[in-house]
Amino acid sequence: MQLDEIKISKAIIESYKDKLIKALDVDVAIVGAGPAGMACGYYLAKRGKRVVIFERKLSVGGGMWGGGIMFNEIVVQEKAKKIMDEFEIKTRVYEKGYYLADSIESVSTICSKTVKAGAGIFNLLSAEDVMIRKGRICGLVLNWTAVEIANLHVDPITMKAKFVVDATGHAAEVVRIAERKSGIKLKTKTGKVMGEQSMWAEIAEDTIVRNSKEVCPGLYVCGMSANAVFGGPRMGPIFGGMLLSGKKLAEDLLK
Amino acid sequence: MQLDEIKISKAIIESYKDKLIKALDVDVAIVGAGPAGMACGYYLAKRGKRVVIFERKLSVGGGMWGGGIMFNEIVVQEKAKKIMDEFEIKTRVYEKGYYLADSIESVSTICSKTVKAGAGIFNLLSAEDVMIRKGRICGLVLNWTAVEIANLHVDPITMKAKFVVDATGHAAEVVRIAERKSGIKLKTKTGKVMGEQSMWAEIAEDTIVRNSKEVCPGLYVCGMSANAVFGGPRMGPIFGGMLLSGKKLAEDLLK
Amino acid sequence: MQLDEIKISKAIIESYKDKLIKALDVDVAIVGAGPAGMACGYYLAKRGKRVVIFERKLSVGGGMWGGGIMFNEIVVQEKAKKIMDEFEIKTRVYEKGYYLADSIESVSTICSKTVKAGAGIFNLLSAEDVMIRKGRICGLVLNWTAVEIANLHVDPITMKAKFVVDATGHAAEVVRIAERKSGIKLKTKTGKVMGEQSMWAEIAEDTIVRNSKEVCPGLYVCGMSANAVFGGPRMGPIFGGMLLSGKKLAEDLLK
Amino acid sequence: MQLDEIKISKAIIESYKDKLIKALDVDVAIVGAGPAGMACGYYLAKRGKRVVIFERKLSVGGGMWGGGIMFNEIVVQEKAKKIMDEFEIKTRVYEKGYYLADSIESVSTICSKTVKAGAGIFNLLSAEDVMIRKGRICGLVLNWTAVEIANLHVDPITMKAKFVVDATGHAAEVVRIAERKSGIKLKTKTGKVMGEQSMWAEIAEDTIVRNSKEVCPGLYVCGMSANAVFGGPRMGPIFGGMLLSGKKLAEDLLK
Amino acid sequence: MQLDEIKISKAIIESYKDKLIKALDVDVAIVGAGPAGMACGYYLAKRGKRVVIFERKLSVGGGMWGGGIMFNEIVVQEKAKKIMDEFEIKTRVYEKGYYLADSIESVSTICSKTVKAGAGIFNLLSAEDVMIRKGRICGLVLNWTAVEIANLHVDPITMKAKFVVDATGHAAEVVRIAERKSGIKLKTKTGKVMGEQSMWAEIAEDTIVRNSKEVCPGLYVCGMSANAVFGGPRMGPIFGGMLLSGKKLAEDLLK
Amino acid sequence: MQLDEIKISKAIIESYKDKLIKALDVDVAIVGAGPAGMACGYYLAKRGKRVVIFERKLSVGGGMWGGGIMFNEIVVQEKAKKIMDEFEIKTRVYEKGYYLADSIESVSTICSKTVKAGAGIFNLLSAEDVMIRKGRICGLVLNWTAVEIANLHVDPITMKAKFVVDATGHAAEVVRIAERKSGIKLKTKTGKVMGEQSMWAEIAEDTIVRNSKEVCPGLYVCGMSANAVFGGPRMGPIFGGMLLSGKKLAEDLLK
Amino acid sequence: MQLDEIKISKAIIESYKDKLIKALDVDVAIVGAGPAGMACGYYLAKRGKRVVIFERKLSVGGGMWGGGIMFNEIVVQEKAKKIMDEFEIKTRVYEKGYYLADSIESVSTICSKTVKAGAGIFNLLSAEDVMIRKGRICGLVLNWTAVEIANLHVDPITMKAKFVVDATGHAAEVVRIAERKSGIKLKTKTGKVMGEQSMWAEIAEDTIVRNSKEVCPGLYVCGMSANAVFGGPRMGPIFGGMLLSGKKLAEDLLK
Amino acid sequence: MQLDEIKISKAIIESYKDKLIKALDVDVAIVGAGPAGMACGYYLAKRGKRVVIFERKLSVGGGMWGGGIMFNEIVVQEKAKKIMDEFEIKTRVYEKGYYLADSIESVSTICSKTVKAGAGIFNLLSAEDVMIRKGRICGLVLNWTAVEIANLHVDPITMKAKFVVDATGHAAEVVRIAERKSGIKLKTKTGKVMGEQSMWAEIAEDTIVRNSKEVCPGLYVCGMSANAVFGGPRMGPIFGGMLLSGKKLAEDLLK
């Protein structure tokens, strides 16, 4: 059989167009395809929700690939062991309550299962603004990351979502845009992004789950952006809290 | 239960040390965790070989994440459909003989299955030289990619392997190092790296499989570096040849 | 009437998709939207040919905007006055045989008339390779310029054309790719790109028209790349030869 | 006839000198040759006013070339359809009230018509300061953009105008200079530049027209700098408001 | 005897792992291997304390190598002559009370003696955060400097120490992290880092010793970071105060 | 006693001037203060020769600080154990014939002893050319490294030496300058710099000592530049050969 | 006669050392060798004062070389014509009260005469701090500009002066250092640097002369830094005020 | 009297236009305003020739400002003492035959006298090509240096000259352009640019004068480009040869 490049090009253009048009109007739009964002997307998609995840990088996974100081192993605590099992990621016991996993297996498996569950992941797209109507965040303004890097002056497009989730990690990019651009008062103690505190894994792992919630009408946080927004401590190369945070938010949104 | 950061740090350091020590002496060392390198590693590991894959980037997958011109869909032809099925990647028919798949699902699933099959993937490490003994490539000289980028003057370490596979894509990095540093005559028509030709998907998909073979004693190529070394044409966003190339080389090496 | 951003996004995505799909199979593909490339496209489109022009920059026009040393005036000689009149660009006599025109009026008007004539201009896309079949150039391999600048590893797509025109100026990008990648012998004295000679406006203006012709099967040049390929001298801020060159090639291709 | 390069050089130098000297004393000086600035210049020039537009880039048009996310189509709403017709730009109906146009045809045609109408466009020149006398902005301090980029220490020159228009888009460069350098209180609610809000095309399209007015004695805004200064929302790839804004300000200034 | 590269690699990996594991729990952790930090480490190690010094650069010594304006000589005053003698660094009298020494001999000798005394120096590691428990600084969060420079997203590890010393010089990096991240009130007049004052060698040499003390529970300063934190003047190429400061703090900590 | 900054400045300027004037006419000028260059300088200085070492960086030691892949341990083989002992550097046995040492202790101690032995080390100075008279290298042309980095157009100065030693490592900078600038035929098989081969520690450790010899009249090599010039293999993080190479060359020059 | 490079090197080293030592203790230290700084130095040196000028660039003259927008002509008004005559710079009348001069002749002649008058100019040295005693600025802390650019960690040296003059132009570098580092209250209306206002040549030319005076004990300003500190408007390519400002301050200091 | 900025702008624009138009047709065009180029221009202008010097930098003087290794003193030998006297530059005897001069006084005085003698110096303009007619270099193609640095696509202008002199130093820019672009055979031993040899001041000072001559019809060299083209050795911070070279070429051209 003969292969025709023009047909290949057409196939990709048309198929992507369909995916993109469909992604313009969804139930939940998640920004950031790190472990928390993907876990959140996974549990939502499994329950039949229309979910898209926008990731600015070429690849997903954020800081999970590199383990601790480039030693590509991660640690997961007791509480999150069940999620690892659900994703069928191999774990080894290091000591009671501490499980080790290969970081590359972990991140690729989570991503694989998330897409299979039905969440659409769009890489290479950045959220450069939000859409607000009557004080409620109801969508995102998107542009190619490459346009940003190349510093080209090109206009964005817009998509709408019933719920927007900021899973962009330390930067809490979407929440900061909403704060700066719309002057919305956040549901934090100060009404503003409070910033992440020094590392304290034990506390962080708990607060990150509690902080995975609504920040202002229509906008939610999970993963490290939860602690960045509500002022909890940062974690090290332990990833249980991340996964629990994504799962918890998914469950809240499903209600 | 209380989480102890120092314990987490120790767990990672010790566990990584064990993995790294083990990786210093293997059956097959593959450089480059793109689709061809991972497929090759997958089929070798499934048959019980000790395999490691060294990837210079933080994440694996190379150009597969971005589909064609950032439209994250890929095309796979009839012949490779079986491999997609084996990896349990969803495909849709575009037209007879042309299958579409989500590029993110594809790359993450291949990676996930490869690690689960037993191949060790070490990201963030670059092969800066090869080890040659009696005219045979028998190992790699490794350094952190971050050391290269930061332009630090730091010495590398060394690992040995019965077979070394260059799966670094267009650049054919390992073959070029071997050629430049040792003056070894390659098994190509000119005895040298011949360079990739203009795109011709149909031809490329065939030649890439035929060219996945030994380049000089101990050194093999698969994926785009096969065509770069033996002078075949390049492909576009069609990935069947890549996977077949990795599989074919694995089968050859198993003999 | 209410404006709906999602509708605006959809309109643009669908409309562009249609344009792009149509652009994958044309009569003539011109690379470079400088004055010569646009003039060539204008005369071809006026005669009903399916023409697309690919421009790597955000805006068209190349060096024509800046006149000479940022003094935004250009000079046109007697012979090309008629083309200026056809484009309805205002000219003033400086001295017998020398006409002055505003460089900004010139470039924007040529562009405006070219698109209106029916030539499709695709900005922000770069030709990174050509397609060759049986020794004949029969298409282009395209990628976003932004992907190149951002140094992302993303695969290109492919388009086909009965004739390919290199109007990329001094760089003669397409001809150089064809030469390097396919080893095709060019129809120049040396069989290779001969390089541009020192400035000699009078000679350049003539040779540029004569050199606007086929370089190898399927591949043509016009504008400064004609002199760069066949070894003619370069010009200064005089643009008559550019326009005549584009027109001449269009007339040749129409035969 | 023989072409003489020295004559070409002289023609350009003398002609540009005349244009530049003339540009030092005008009725209206517009900074920024985007769609709003050019539309404003077009309507003023058509009524016989002496108008110059200073553009820092090599080419005019700003973000209009790239459509939405590099898909080079733009949308125009009902209200602005008439202006598109006046500029003789082809439009297609997408849906009631939504017209599509080719972004390249649009920007080049607007520019072409604006210069033909008699507005002088000076590209490659930046306004690095304003001239203020008795609390009124009455001119600009200009330098080559290339001098800025090359970071050379070179003094600027000065020009005077009855009215100065800031059409520099999001940056509102001239207004910010006036605010920072002279401490002038702006006619906004806060007396300061209020900054652009999140995207809301519908609202933006209206407010941008209303906000196209005087900011402080002698200084006016139109286009996106109007919303940036008075705090309206931003728009996406819909350009009707831009053109209406430029036209409205021109009409006000003519009074 | 035959040398085996794999054995060399293993030796280094295992030996470093042991050193690093041991460094995760110590008496004193010093950040910055300049003259003050090393002197402090030297006197502590000589008294049997478990001490580690973390240095972000490849080499130790900071600004001491370059003397004054790259003239590699340093000056030491009377009071510090005794320390120079203890380190066995050659000094020459310039004038009563002013001793000259070769800067390269000085810095390499101090480093050599410090390591021999038992202090572990870890170069290429940066402290990117501190660990705080019950308001007391009790450890550091570490990452490779190369990861920072290469701008890779990789998680850090953690170590604990009874006392943490900031000897990072002008930047006072650790104190600033503690201030920003934890909101701890410092024991300075303003409760904040006060910043270094203009040069006044005579005063600086005294105050630097007095300021070498606790800044907040668990965190101490010596060397230039002492004056940066408590607001003393800076010094020039005179190094007596540096050494005295390190020694003084070591003596205080030993109590 | 009162400290006077002006006196400190004067002391440094005058003392450096004396050192620099003395360094303009010596027995041996070594370029590069890595382990080989310092060892060579150490053994020459101990025997009373006037030796200067020019180092382009702020600090000495080259790649020795970082051990292998930033794990700051080095290995030394049996043969070189004696030199380690002479420098009083602590070593631990890893396995018969393999000794481990702390890389920071090693490099700082070698530097300290070398300066104490009487060799002058001038950091921050680069050799940008050589002086040749009657076909013999007899001196160096020096400039500040900072001038090079800052890309300033500043003339160098000159120094003369009976023997010039290139100890610049892989780059073999001085030999390459001599080759390029003077067309001198080198005493290698090809008459040119042959380039370093792939890693082979065992062979490298021997050849590096044998290759530490004269390259052309007046110019000698030691350390990695010996293998780079004569075409031997490179080494990993094993440093015995380096030290033996420096010592061997010193002994040859003493004859 | 034979030329000996070593002698040339020695001559320069010794001669510069003498100049530099002498420059460590002077009557007036001027920072910035633009037209104002040099004019000030010229009039002081002519009256026998010990004057040094420190210039961070390789060449002197600042923005005077480039005239207006790279058109290398400058304008001088009636009042300053006498100074031009004293420096023997050719001037041409443009119109009553406006004199034109070649900018290159102007700046090189002023520099030539200033050095001949006895002022020492030290190029390539930056003032990175000031020396303050009892609330009075009494000297400068100097370092090589190349050290700054190369980002090397190298300590500065110190010089003392009865009066320090900031002639650094728009940046007012020395005054800003004094303000930031010492908290000294400046003799301006706000006690702080007030910043330069928008261009107004006429006013600027007067205020610049009046503002050339003491800013705080021991520290004076002239040239554009006078208006930057006291809040006067900036000038364009008219240089009379600069020269008058330098002269006026010199006359004040001579009292 | 009132100052009018617009008048200042006009004066500069008109005056520069006249200078530039005049510079388009001269007797001698010199590229590079270093000491040799300026000396050559000085002696030609004194004899009434129409001379222009084009300098790419903002300031003239090249490497002369920085003396040797930033110690701003230069040495001049006996033979060139007379030229120093003619320029009225102060010199001091260092030793018989060696004169010291302040580098800043030297370069500014040479420039000042050269312009006063009637040579026009155009700074900020680069020669990007030559004009060749019938095998003879007869002019230059000029562009703003800032355009080059800013990487803008802007066309150059052209000027003609009876003789063109390359005084661009080590780079020999004009000769290299002529060689590359026109394939002209140079009057050197190899017919090509031979490159500069290692430093040998004594020989260099003689050969530089002998090599100051015609390289190909219409094109001459002086200063360091003479030795770069004809293969002589380079010099250090001794400037006699430079001045003699410029003078010698001027005398030859006057014949």
Side-chain angles (χ1 to χ4, degrees), chain E residues 26-30 40-42 44-45 48-53 118-121:
Chain E
V26 301
D27 293 324
V28 184
I30 299 169
C40 180
Y42 169 81
L44 287 165
K49 296 298 161 198
R50 289 170 305 143
V51 188
V52 285
I53 307 179
I121 301 186

Side-chain angles (χ1 to χ4, degrees), chain C residues 1-5 7-17 19 58-60 62-63 65-75 77-78 87-90 92 94-98 100-105 107-113 115-118 120-124 144 146 199-202 205 234 236-238, chain D residues 1-5 7-17 19 58-60 62-63 65-75 77-78 87-90 92 94-98 100-105 107-113 115-118 120-124 144 146 199-202 205 234 236-238:
Chain C
M1 196 207 111
Q2 238 188 318
L3 278 174
D4 178 346
E5 278 97 344
K7 210 165 281 175
I8 295 168
S9 298
K10 279 188 186 161
I12 287 172
I13 292 169
E14 286 180 349
S15 177
Y16 185 74
K17 189 222 79 179
K19 278 207 305 203
L58 180 58
S59 59
V60 306
W65 295 97
I69 58 165
M70 307 200 294
F71 295 1
N72 62 3
E73 291 280 305
I74 60 163
V75 169
Q77 64 270 53
E78 195 64 54
F87 277 116
E88 299 177 54
I89 298 164
K90 239 177 290 176
R92 284 153 289 136
Y94 174 71
E95 205 172 279
K96 197 177 161 325
Y98 294 80
L100 279 160
D102 184 278
S103 69
I104 293 178
E105 180 186 344
V107 69
S108 61
T109 304
I110 293 170
C111 178
S112 169
K113 304 271 183 193
V115 183
K116 280 175 204 290
I121 301 186
F122 285 81
N123 52 347
L124 295 163
W144 296 114
M199 187 181 284
W200 191 339
E202 197 188 341
E205 291 287 316
R234 63 185 287 203
I238 176 159
Chain D
M1 195 209 112
Q2 241 190 315
L3 279 175
D4 178 347
E5 277 97 345
K7 212 165 278 174
I8 295 168
S9 299
K10 279 187 185 161
I12 288 171
I13 294 169
E14 286 179 349
S15 177
Y16 186 74
K17 188 219 81 179
K19 278 207 306 203
L58 180 57
S59 59
V60 306
W65 295 96
I69 57 162
M70 308 200 295
F71 295 179
N72 60 4
E73 292 282 305
I74 60 165
V75 169
Q77 64 272 53
E78 196 62 54
F87 278 117
E88 297 176 54
I89 298 165
K90 241 175 291 178
R92 283 153 290 136
Y94 174 70
E95 205 170 277
K96 196 177 162 326
Y98 293 79
L100 278 160
D102 183 276
S103 70
I104 295 180
E105 180 186 344
V107 69
S108 60
T109 304
I110 293 169
C111 176
S112 171
K113 302 271 184 196
V115 182
K116 279 177 205 290
I121 300 186
F122 285 81
N123 53 346
L124 295 163
W144 296 113
M199 187 181 284
W200 191 337
E202 195 188 341
E205 291 288 314
R234 61 184 289 203
I238 177 159

Side-chain angles (χ1 to χ4, degrees), chain E residues 148-162:
Chain E
E148 248 183 53
I149 299 176
N151 203 15
L152 292 167
H153 188 169
V154 171
D155 271 307
I157 55 168
T158 334
M159 59 81 58
K160 78 176 170 203
K162 296 198 187 106

Side-chain angles (χ1 to χ4, degrees), chain B residues 128-146:
Chain B
E128 62 171 64
D129 200 351
V130 295
M131 205 163 58
I132 307 188
R133 294 293 176 275
K134 301 179 192 164
R136 184 180 172 86
I137 306 296
C138 58
L140 293 165
V141 177
L142 301 166
N143 214 333
W144 296 113
T145 308

Side-chain angles (χ1 to χ4, degrees), chain C residues 114-131:
Chain C
T114 300
V115 183
K116 280 175 204 290
I121 301 186
F122 285 81
N123 52 347
L124 295 163
L125 282 172
S126 303
E128 64 172 63
D129 200 351
V130 294
M131 206 164 56

Side-chain angles (χ1 to χ4, degrees), chain B residues 172-228:
Chain B
E173 288 169 23
V174 183
V175 178
R176 285 187 194 280
I177 287 168
E179 189 184 20
R180 191 181 69 239
K181 284 263 190 162
S182 67
I184 275 187
K185 199 168 165 296
L186 307 182
K187 297 182 172 181
T188 62
K189 276 187 205 159
T190 58
K192 294 176 178 280
V193 171
M194 295 181 67
E196 190 183 276
Q197 296 174 341
S198 280
M199 187 180 285
W200 190 338
E202 196 189 341
I203 301 295
E205 290 288 314
D206 279 352
T207 52
I208 208 173
V209 177
R210 279 204 311 278
N211 289 335
S212 295
K213 57 185 181 188
E214 199 183 46
V215 186
C216 66
L219 182 56
Y220 297 76
V221 280
C222 72
M224 269 320 297
S225 52
N227 274 5

